[in-house]
Amino acid sequence: MNIDATRKRWPSLTAMFFDQVDARGDQPFLWAKRDGVYQPMSWGDAAARVTPLARGLMALGIGRGDRVMLVSENRPAWPIADLAIMSAGAITVPAYTTNTEADHLHILTDSGAKGAIVSTRRLAQRLLPAAARAPDLEFVICMELPDEAPPDGARIIPIDEVLDTGRARHENIIEAARALGRDDDACIIYTSGTGGVPKGVVLHHGAILHNCAGAADHLSELGLGDEVFLSFLPLSHSYEHTAGLYFPISIGAEIYYAEGIETLGANMLEARPTIMTAVPRLYEMLHHRITAGVAKAGGAKAKLFNKAYDIGSRRYHDPISLSLGDRMIDPILDRLVRNKVRDRFGGRLKALVSGGAPLNPDIGLFFTALGLRILQGYGQTESAPVISVNRKNSMKLHSVGPPMLDTEVRIAGDGEILVRGELVMKGYWRNQQATDEAIRDGWLHTGDIGHLDEDGHLVITDRKKDIIVNSGGDNVAPQRIEGMLTVTPEIAQAMVAGDKRPHIVALLVPKEDWFKEWAKGAGKSGDLQALADDADLHKALSHAVDRVNKDLSNIEKVRRFLVASEPFTVDNEMMTPTMKVRRHKIRNLYGERLDALYR
């Protein structure tokens, strides 16, 4: 692949797609499971589905600037629908498959969506009641017709009918797609709401194309060529939307769609990705599975694994520190240990890319020491989303790397990170006040605190709004403490609190396998809800907290804690679909009990 091609100033995402179709034609593009086996869809076949759907949307009255909601799992239908909506001149409004009826109604109403596309009967069940109440919505295109009659006010159109209409029309969709400009709106992505009601972030074509060019520039050191991606994060999130869809399109890569998080391990072996993008929570889960497997194996296998990790971690920190014996045994450990770890990821990974939330440096070091390159990046929906990412030849695990190509970053007087460039959103949809607060004099105020180190790498300290200011006036970064807690063998999830209080307290969720083993040994029921207040469980977890506290300053130490009665999940709304903790939701549920810890 010619990296210079990815720096081409395509006028739009749709023009980029059709250019790649012209260049690649019958080559594989999108892979999905059919009858239990991955089957490819070529670039040409994808285009042959995009154009009639775009014409069908135009026949329904969709035109320039109209909004169309898209509700679908990660599958080829998602990019096809997205590209068709934009090719018709409209704006895609992606929605999470986990959204409730109320979530859908908020987004439909706020965006003023004229139409919606939904993939399955299950997803339609939650969308259609909201569609019936949305004031501007005229129709819902269903890829699968619901079993029950739709609620009054919801107009359903089978997708086959839309496609048949589109095939009978003759608008030049490719010409229209190429006529779009970089400043035209591409999508309105609603933030996942870690701090309240989601706002619609308006991203133009140029913002996402800027990200694609910057990512190609950063990752060119890996030797980009015939790349393969495995997509499993929600495409409705800006991270996967750019890094898992449009960046792969920009470099002509193949995209496999994972069946789900529970089958991710098997799908990795089938797809054998060369680049993988994920959030830290996934890497934490993989870290736990690997270390638990090693502990269970014990004996010589555990000794070899621990030696490989020890040498790998020392090599990262100080290669000169390795002895002659270390250097002699390391190639053997590479074959016996690291190759087996790499094989679990398909065996040909060039890089794991981490974004969406801070990566614990210990987790990054773990994979690095075991021969898997992990590049932490940073961004937010408002920047389409990537601002910076580590490079292969100048990697620092504690940082999020240098800013991307043509991206300006500066640090405000209070430590807030400010960003300027084409990547910055146009603003929040129909919310001028919030837009004016976020973008001032062309600079995006990220709400994150950090600094640029001596090599120009960006180091994130914390979220400006999440920083705890204790009653003594000291600033405490909660994510650092939470990251250290969740690396322990006992603790899966944590949220710490202490704003305007004398010290830090925490809410903890034990790791499932550790908890079951502990309950069995203690002769307990194994029901977390029943044991959340159990004194013996608290005593067992206090050992983990004590170990973490040894590495924390006095103001950071966790003085008291609660055990949550259930894990933080998307279903109970304590986590976003991209596995970030919804602090406000957790505080609503546990706030009074956390406050009681100070009495």
Side-chain angles (χ1 to χ4, degrees):
M1 185 209 59
N2 182 359
I3 291 297
D4 289 337
T6 67
R7 293 175 180 161
K8 176 180 178 181
R9 285 189 60 83
W10 276 297
S12 65
L13 296 169
T14 47
M16 177 176 73
F17 168 69
F18 284 113
D19 277 359
Q20 295 289 33
V21 171
D22 288 345
R24 298 175 185 278
D26 294 333
Q27 295 178 28
F29 172 34
L30 305 174
W31 293 78
K33 279 284 185 77
R34 288 199 298 274
D35 300 323
V37 179
Y38 271 110
Q39 302 284 343
M41 178 187 295
S42 72
W43 290 86
D45 286 342
R49 288 164 170 77
V50 169
T51 51
L53 181 54
R55 292 190 189 103
L57 288 168
M58 293 169 75
L60 288 167
I62 294 297
R64 199 171 187 86
D66 288 330
R67 280 78 62 202
V68 179
M69 178 186 270
L70 174 55
V71 189
S72 173
E73 317 89 331
N74 287 21
R75 53 195 268 190
W78 206 105
I80 287 168
D82 187 30
L83 286 159
I85 292 165
M86 291 189 293
S87 295
I91 304 166
T92 303
V93 183
Y96 288 111
T97 58
T98 53
N99 277 2
T100 63
E101 178 185 333
D103 293 330
H104 283 319
L105 182 59
H106 167 70
I107 293 172
L108 286 169
T109 302
D110 189 70
S111 68
K114 190 173 181 178
I117 300 175
V118 62
S119 61
T120 65
R121 294 182 183 90
R122 179 182 64 84
L123 295 177
Q125 286 177 347
R126 268 183 282 184
L127 174 63
L128 291 175
R133 297 161 59 196
D136 301 302
L137 196 73
E138 297 180 4
F139 61 84
V140 177
I141 297 172
C142 291
M143 298 182 196
E144 294 178 3
L145 291 177
D147 295 322
E148 300 176 1
D152 292 340
R155 179 192 174 194
I156 289 179
I157 306 174
I159 194 165
D160 288 342
E161 181 180 314
V162 180
L163 292 171
D164 288 342
T165 300
R167 291 185 187 104
R169 294 171 67 97
H170 304 289
E171 292 95 344
N172 190 326
I173 293 300
I174 297 175
E175 183 178 304
R178 287 188 167 133
L180 292 169
R182 292 176 76 97
D183 200 49
D184 285 322
D185 298 341
C187 57
I188 302 173
I189 296 183
Y190 279 77
T191 58
S192 49
T194 58
V197 177
K199 298 190 290 289
V201 176
V202 182
L203 296 175
H204 49 296
H205 288 257
I208 299 168
L209 289 166
H210 179 284
N211 258 241
C212 292
D217 175 68
H218 261 59
L219 298 179
S220 62
E221 294 169 357
L222 299 174
L224 294 178
D226 296 325
E227 305 305 326
V228 175
F229 287 70
L230 179 62
S231 176
F232 65 95
L233 293 176
L235 278 163
S236 47
H237 189 272
S238 61
Y239 182 29
E240 189 69 10
H241 183 260
T242 293
L245 177 57
Y246 285 104
F247 172 57
I249 288 176
S250 76
I251 61 173
E254 299 174 42
I255 304 171
Y256 281 71
Y257 290 106
E259 298 168 273
I261 189 71
E262 66 284 349
T263 62
L264 188 60
N267 294 157
M268 276 193 272
L269 295 177
E270 294 168 301
R272 301 180 65 231
T274 60
I275 298 174
M276 189 168 163
T277 58
V279 292
R281 180 66 183 142
L282 175 76
Y283 298 125
E284 291 167 2
M285 291 165 56
L286 293 172
H287 164 267
H288 176 63
R289 287 180 192 173
I290 293 170
T291 54
V294 170
K296 186 175 181 181
K301 286 186 178 179
K303 288 181 179 178
L304 286 171
F305 182 91
N306 292 333
K307 186 64 175 176
Y309 171 77
D310 173 62
I311 292 177
S313 60
R314 284 191 286 120
R315 182 195 299 112
Y316 169 75
H317 287 298
D318 183 13
I320 299 174
S321 69
L322 297 184
S323 68
L324 179 60
D326 291 334
R327 296 176 192 277
M328 290 177 67
I329 197 175
D330 200 39
I332 299 171
L333 293 172
D334 214 46
R335 291 196 301 272
L336 295 178
V337 177
R338 297 191 189 98
N339 280 350
K340 290 182 179 179
V341 174
R342 285 188 283 254
D343 286 345
R344 294 182 67 164
F345 291 80
R348 58 177 183 178
L349 265 178
K350 295 178 180 179
L352 296 164
V353 181
S354 179
L359 176 70
N360 188 306
D362 290 339
I363 298 294
L365 180 60
F366 175 82
F367 287 105
T368 301
L370 295 175
L372 287 167
R373 183 180 293 110
I374 188 162
L375 304 175
Q376 182 176 200
Y378 162 71
Q380 52 188 220
T381 304
E382 290 84 348
S383 58
V386 187
I387 293 168
S388 67
V389 68
N390 270 281
R391 304 185 78 114
K392 172 192 170 186
N393 296 331
S394 59
M395 187 178 68
K396 293 185 177 182
L397 290 174
H398 69 280
S399 85
V400 293
M404 290 206 307
L405 184 73
D406 297 328
T407 301
E408 295 180 76
V409 170
R410 68 179 176 90
I411 309 300
D414 62 356
E416 184 175 7
I417 299 164
L418 310 184
V419 179
R420 186 166 67 178
E422 192 182 21
L423 74 169
V424 173
M425 66 172 179
K426 280 192 171 180
Y428 295 111
W429 180 256
R430 293 177 174 172
N431 193 336
Q432 192 60 47
Q433 180 179 348
T435 300
D436 291 342
E437 290 174 0
I439 304 173
R440 291 171 241 163
D441 298 323
W443 290 92
L444 173 66
H445 289 240
T446 65
D448 290 316
I449 300 296
H451 64 271
L452 291 162
D453 71 10
E454 65 280 1
D455 296 318
H457 283 235
L458 187 58
V459 179
I460 310 296
T461 305
D462 217 297
R463 283 290 299 167
K464 186 175 181 179
K465 63 183 178 183
D466 287 339
I467 283 180
I468 293 169
V469 182
N470 66 21
S471 56
D474 299 302
N475 288 355
V476 180
Q479 291 171 339
R480 164 178 149 79
I481 305 169
E482 291 160 358
M484 293 174 69
L485 288 166
T486 55
V487 169
T488 66
E490 299 94 334
I491 301 169
Q493 296 169 307
M495 191 199 83
V496 301
D499 201 50
K500 301 182 178 120
R501 297 289 191 170
H503 55 255
I504 299 297
V505 297
L507 179 68
L508 307 178
V509 178
K511 281 184 174 146
E512 184 179 7
D513 53 355
W514 176 90
F515 174 69
K516 287 181 178 178
E517 191 69 25
W518 171 85
K520 181 179 178 182
K524 307 278 185 176
S525 67
D527 181 348
L528 179 59
Q529 189 168 8
L531 294 174
D533 295 321
D534 184 87
D536 292 332
L537 176 59
H538 279 243
K539 185 176 180 181
L541 286 173
S542 68
H543 295 310
V545 174
D546 288 344
R547 292 197 309 272
V548 170
N549 277 340
K550 288 179 181 177
D551 295 322
L552 294 172
S553 67
N554 283 333
I555 63 170
E556 294 175 308
K557 291 184 191 301
V558 177
R559 307 293 178 176
R560 302 183 71 185
F561 65 86
L562 295 175
V563 177
S565 56
E566 60 179 334
F568 310 155
T569 68
V570 175
D571 289 340
N572 63 24
E573 298 186 346
M574 286 191 275
M575 293 196 84
T576 71
T578 50
M579 298 188 280
K580 288 188 281 190
V581 172
R582 276 192 168 117
R583 296 178 187 275
H584 69 289
K585 290 284 187 182
I586 295 173
R587 287 193 189 101
N588 287 343
L589 288 170
Y590 291 96
E592 289 185 7
R593 294 186 61 202
L594 287 168
D595 288 342
L597 294 177
Y598 293 101
R599 294 172 194 154

